[in-house]
Amino acid sequence: MDTRPRPPPRQALRREGRVRHRRRDERPELADALLWVDEKKVHGLVAPNLDRLARELVVQEAALAQCWKHGGRAFMADQGEILPDDPEDPMRTAMRQMMGFFAQLDRGMTVAKLRRVRRIRGEKGQYAYGAPPYGWQAHKKELTEEEMERAGRARARQLRDEDELSLREICAVLEAEDIRPKRGERWHPETVRRMLANSGDQPPTLRRRERTA
């Protein structure tokens, strides 16, 4: 019987399930997972596919090497276990790296296409910047005002500027007055902070960028 300690299942799901979209650290929880492998808290890594394990080929290969170095195993839902490199079977390594290379290429081409579409729509005066901020809604590629949300934003400003309430207190008042956020049922202080960060009535994405000399 294996008596090695394991992390609680819910904790593991939270760590492995979170996805943060940021450039500098594409898989912020991957380092924690590899540390668990090193500390023998888990037996290895599980991911839907290699593309979800790491966005870049170099990160994919480094993560697998670190996992295997400490006796861990790696499983992908779409192809089963990823076996360690074998000097007598170089094709195994080549095929894995080719899959990672083409996944990275496909992702790069998709990002480039989206950038071009956004640039073209921006030049035409259309909205193409993801989810609209609170108080606005996208309709037929145009950004239009959402009256109920604009009233909610005005109320939040009043609570901050006139009543001098904290962000957490503003959350409580908005919920008590049945003013809901754009997504979800509860307000979060960070959500209120971002909403109030735009001091004007125009979404930040539609402001013209000032050119610097």
Side-chain angles (χ1 to χ4, degrees):
M1 180 180 296
D2 188 356
T3 59
R4 289 185 294 180
R6 297 186 180 184
R10 290 185 178 179
Q11 184 180 13
L13 287 174
R14 284 201 304 269
R15 288 177 176 267
E16 295 173 6
R18 283 192 303 193
V19 178
R20 300 177 186 176
H21 300 284
R22 55 184 183 181
R23 186 179 183 85
R24 298 184 63 182
D25 191 356
E26 297 290 3
R27 290 289 182 265
E29 301 301 338
L30 181 57
D32 287 343
L34 291 172
L35 180 61
W36 287 358
V37 175
D38 182 19
E39 296 175 347
K40 309 303 180 185
K41 293 182 178 180
V42 296
H43 297 299
L45 304 174
V46 178
N49 50 52
L50 287 172
D51 187 37
R52 298 305 300 163
L53 177 67
R55 295 179 183 272
E56 299 181 358
L57 176 60
V58 62
V59 178
Q60 166 192 302
E61 293 299 296
L64 291 173
Q66 188 73 4
C67 179
W68 293 329
K69 175 183 177 181
H70 297 291
R73 302 169 69 183
F75 293 87
M76 303 298 125
D78 63 341
Q79 55 183 306
E81 183 175 6
I82 306 299
L83 298 175
D85 294 336
D86 184 350
E88 298 183 359
D89 186 10
M91 186 60 70
R92 176 192 302 175
T93 303
M95 292 300 294
R96 183 187 71 243
Q97 292 179 348
M98 287 177 61
M99 292 175 61
F101 169 78
F102 282 109
Q104 180 174 321
L105 175 61
D106 180 69
R107 183 169 54 254
M109 294 179 66
T110 300
V111 171
K113 180 180 179 181
L114 290 174
R115 287 181 179 273
R116 286 196 297 271
V117 171
R118 287 180 175 179
R119 176 176 54 80
I120 293 173
R121 288 184 176 178
E123 292 174 352
K124 293 180 179 180
Q126 299 175 344
Y127 183 76
Y129 300 93
Y134 193 81
W136 299 84
Q137 61 182 351
H139 180 66
K140 295 182 179 181
K141 300 180 182 180
E142 299 291 340
L143 208 58
T144 60
E145 298 180 0
E146 213 291 337
E147 295 301 331
M148 293 185 64
E149 291 184 358
R150 288 176 63 81
R153 188 175 63 182
R155 176 58 172 152
R157 286 179 182 170
Q158 181 185 35
L159 294 171
R160 180 196 61 183
D161 299 337
E162 298 181 11
D163 298 342
E164 299 183 349
L165 299 185
S166 66
L167 294 177
R168 196 170 299 278
E169 290 172 333
I170 293 175
C171 291
V173 173
L174 293 178
E175 292 176 5
E177 297 179 355
D178 200 29
I179 300 174
R180 300 302 177 189
K182 185 176 289 288
R183 288 171 291 275
E185 296 294 325
R186 303 290 301 275
W187 283 96
H188 188 275
E190 179 62 19
T191 305
V192 175
R193 187 195 67 78
R194 290 197 301 266
M195 176 179 64
L196 297 177
N198 179 20
S199 58
D201 292 328
Q202 192 177 21
T205 51
L206 294 185
R207 294 177 182 172
R208 292 185 177 180
R209 295 181 179 180
E210 297 181 359
R211 295 182 178 181
T212 56

